[in-house]
Every structure is written in structure tokens, then in C-alpha cells.
Amino acid sequence: MEGVMQGMQAYGAGKAGGAFDPLTFFQQPQTILRLVCWLFSIVIFGCIANEGYVNRPDEIEEFCIFNRNQNACNYAVGMGTLAFLSCAAFLALDVYFPQISSVKDRKKAVLADIGVSAFWSFVWFVGFCFLANQWQVAKEEDNPLREGADAARAAITFAFFSIFTWAVQAFLGFQKYKLGADSALFSQEYVDPTADPNAAAPMGTDYTGYTADIDPAASTELAFDGSTGYQGQEY
């Protein structure tokens, strides 16, 4: 059947072409979690972009609040921005997903979701460790007024939370993949034998009720002859 679904569910969605229901969509755990990841990414890059650069009272140039390590701020802002765009892209894919009629295309979309979510979980684990370490070793004389301290701590905290939100997102995607693989098996491999008149008959089929047209003129009957035994007798 070339991977096209015929009214069955596959990979978490039913038959393609159904009407989009916003209320049902935003009540799904995967959608809620994706919005949470989207919000966390905004908080991370927003905190660093707005308050992540400070200077000493006798300086004009501003430096990264994380131990004056420009790479730390660049990492938080860059990864936060990319995570934001990734969430927006997969939200759009979630909206379009029920319209995908091909089982193979749905499978690719779910696998991409799992891979991207696992990747971002790892990215935020690295980011959390990096930011926390640089914040811990930051010198007090570089920021005597402790400007931007709340923003720095917020970025570290939400980077830590993002590890688990993306990990759970990957887990939900894996559950969706397992469920979809089982439900799509029928639509991909099942062939109705009655649809092909030339298909071989299944083993064990009873044909006792089958009768063929017999020409009476060509029929023969065995008759017993006492001297020669059984002989064919034509009618």
C-alpha cells in the first residue's frame, strides 16, 4: 500500500485531511512541553542579551558577566536563539503533522523530533555546566555592584531546567514512535487477499462444496465383469 494510511492512526495522528482543532492541539502534553522549552529559551538569551554585560566603575567597555568570558555569553545567547527557532519550527511541524498522509514521512518527522530534542538536552547540559562554572569563578572586583547577578542566575537556572524539558520531549517522541510503528504496521504490510483474484488460496481452505460442470457424454462408469474384472463402460 506504499505507506499511505487508510483511516488508521499512525505516529500519533489519525487519517490525513482532518480539521485542525486548536483547543485539542494546545492541550496535548507534547505541545505544552514544547511551549515550555520555547519560553525557557527566551528567558536564557533574553537575560544575557539585556543584562549579561557589565563593566567596572572605571571602565567604559563592557564584558561578559560570566568571568569576563565572552564565549559564555555567546554560548547562552546563541544557543537560546537557536533553541527558540527550533521550538517554533517543530510547533509548525506539529500543526502540519496530521496532514501528512505518508507513513514514511511521519516516521521521519518523529525521528527528527527525537534526535533534535536529545541534542538540545545535551546542549543545555553543557551550557549549564559552562555557565555555572564561569559564574562560580567570576571575580568580585570585576563586578563590585553585582549588576546583572539575578539575570545570570536566571540563565543558569533555566538552562538547568531545559535539560529535563528537552529530555522529556525526546522521551515523548520515542513513545510516539513506538506507538506509531505498531499502528502503521498494518497499513504498510497488510494486503487483502480478496482484492487480488489471482492470489493463492490460503492453506486449509475447504473446497468440499465446489462442483464442476461435467459433460454427461464424456462421463464413464466402472462396471464389474466377472471374467475380466472392472472395465470402463461409456454412456
Side-chain angles (χ1 to χ4, degrees), residues 211-219:
T211 58
D213 294 334
I214 301 175
D215 185 1
S219 63

Side-chain angles (χ1 to χ4, degrees), residues 82-165:
L82 291 177
F84 169 83
L85 296 176
S86 178
C87 287
F90 274 94
L91 275 173
L93 179 61
D94 290 341
V95 173
Y96 178 70
F97 189 82
Q99 307 303 319
I100 301 176
S101 60
S102 172
V103 174
K104 293 181 179 180
D105 290 343
R106 287 192 177 190
K107 179 180 178 180
K108 292 177 182 178
V110 173
L111 289 176
D113 187 15
I114 296 172
V116 170
S117 298
F119 168 77
W120 279 113
S121 181
F122 174 75
V123 165
W124 287 123
F125 172 75
V126 174
F128 166 73
C129 295
F130 186 26
L131 296 179
N133 175 261
Q134 293 301 301
W135 178 248
Q136 186 177 11
V137 300
K139 299 179 179 63
E140 185 175 351
E141 57 268 22
D142 291 336
N143 186 17
L145 302 178
R146 307 299 292 175
E147 295 177 297
D150 291 339
R153 284 191 287 266
I156 294 172
T157 301
F158 283 98
F160 176 75
F161 290 156
S162 295
I163 299 172
F164 301 100
T165 55

